[in-house]
Amino acid sequence: MELTKIYYTDHVWYLPERIAFDFGFFENHKLNVELVKFDPTSTENPDLFERDNLKGFLSGEVGIYSACTWGTIQRVHDSRIGKVAIKRGIAMNTPYKIFVAKESQAKMLQDLSSSKIAIKNLSGSHYITLEAIEEFFTNPTNRLVHVGAVGKRLSALINGNVEAATLVGPSCTIAELLGFRSIHTMPTGGALVTSRHMNSEKVGKYISALNDAVSYINQSPNDVRTVLEEIAAIEFAEISDVSEIPFESVLEKLEVPKYDSQFSIADPNEISKTVQWMSNHNFLPKDIDFEFII
């Protein structure tokens, strides 16, 4: 079987890929897969072409990578390589959350009129936060500040460098245990990019394998909890000033993702709406060739 390399890192986002690999679901669908771990700090680079989870794909070494839906569209448009082929399954119990500082009086998004919200530029936290706050502020982009990966964003909140931060995954659990308060939730989502020559049959096999993993996670959460705890331990170690809470208390509160929707073929109508939003916000040109994206 032809080997396909898939980008992966220790983040709750990639739990289905890790379970599909560890529990043999890729093999069950006659797929020969290697998970290629990338350095998540490289995704803080403002140059998309220098981010580890794109460089290998552009060179042809890696066959599939994943990002937020906005991010996959941006990368395919800018690189002219690959296609947005697969819509990622969504776990509604592990959403993005906007947390505020302990002393903050904010109860809703419109209360953040003079606050900076920590995000990572050109990532899910960037796009989804902008989308959430834009109806309340004249210049919503000015409310966002690039801090970096999720652990750095929580550290910035802990250290008082920002008044709010968009978090996801185990970092939300850690933030709650530290006494920070969430004022807004936003569903996670994303897509997978494949090479343009990957045929529909093979794409379908990847979708089936990942959905087998999603079903297994939903049906047997205790069996995959060890993997999630590994991810949480890595995030915990990256966050500053968490000595006041023992890691065991994080594990007690840690919630295994429960997927409400499965992986599927990317929906052209949904992609079209996202492309339009991105064009309206100058992430993409107005005359984008939509057919090339998908």
Side-chain angles (χ1 to χ4, degrees), residues 191-204:
L192 282 73
V193 175
T194 69
S195 62
R196 298 198 73 80
H197 68 260
M198 185 177 289
N199 62 47
S200 58
E201 180 183 1
K202 192 169 186 179
V203 170

Side-chain angles (χ1 to χ4, degrees), residues 101-272:
K102 295 177 184 179
E103 66 278 8
S104 174
Q105 299 301 308
K107 292 182 170 56
M108 55 190 71
L109 290 179
Q110 49 265 53
D111 296 332
L112 298 176
S113 59
S114 61
S115 301
K116 292 288 189 180
I117 307 171
I119 53 95
K120 181 176 73 174
N121 277 345
L122 299 179
S123 72
S125 64
H126 180 179
Y127 302 109
I128 202 167
T129 305
L130 177 59
E131 196 173 61
I133 68 172
E134 63 182 345
E135 67 177 288
F136 303 113
F137 308 119
T138 304
N139 297 304
T141 301
N142 293 340
R143 302 268 59 80
L144 307 180
V145 57
H146 169 71
V147 171
V150 65
K152 291 182 179 179
R153 301 197 296 269
L154 178 51
S155 293
L157 190 62
I158 292 170
N159 296 328
N161 297 329
V162 293
E163 298 85 7
T166 298
L167 307 177
V168 69
S171 288
C172 290
T173 302
I174 298 168
E176 289 164 355
L177 286 169
L178 288 169
F180 293 100
R181 181 168 46 85
S182 167
I183 63 167
H184 190 72
T185 62
M186 304 161 286
T188 57
L192 282 73
V193 175
T194 69
S195 62
R196 298 198 73 80
H197 68 260
M198 185 177 289
N199 62 47
S200 58
E201 180 183 1
K202 192 169 186 179
V203 170
K205 287 183 178 181
Y206 280 104
I207 290 173
S208 296
L210 291 167
N211 282 335
D212 286 349
V214 161
S215 296
Y216 189 80
I217 293 167
N218 284 350
Q219 294 166 12
S220 308
N222 290 335
D223 290 353
V224 304
R225 191 171 182 84
T226 300
V227 176
L228 187 63
E229 290 177 355
E230 289 177 19
I231 294 170
I234 292 170
E235 284 195 20
F236 189 79
E238 294 173 347
I239 300 167
S240 64
D241 298 323
V242 290
S243 57
E244 65 184 85
I245 58 169
F247 182 59
E248 289 72 21
S249 63
V250 176
L251 297 183
E252 289 175 7
K253 295 285 187 181
L254 200 61
E255 192 171 3
V256 176
K258 184 172 179 59
Y259 292 86
D260 302 84
S261 66
Q262 293 194 321
F263 289 72
S264 60
I265 294 293
D267 184 339
N269 292 327
E270 292 182 3
I271 297 296
S272 178

Side-chain angles (χ1 to χ4, degrees), residues 32-65:
N32 183 15
V33 167
E34 177 185 341
L35 295 184
V36 177
K37 195 169 181 178
F38 67 89
D39 177 6
T41 62
S42 75
T43 63
E44 299 172 8
N45 195 313
D47 184 350
L48 292 176
F49 293 90
E50 290 302 315
R51 296 186 178 188
D52 280 359
N53 63 342
L54 182 58
K55 285 198 293 187
F57 184 81
L58 297 181
S59 70
E61 178 187 356
V62 173
I64 299 176
Y65 72 89

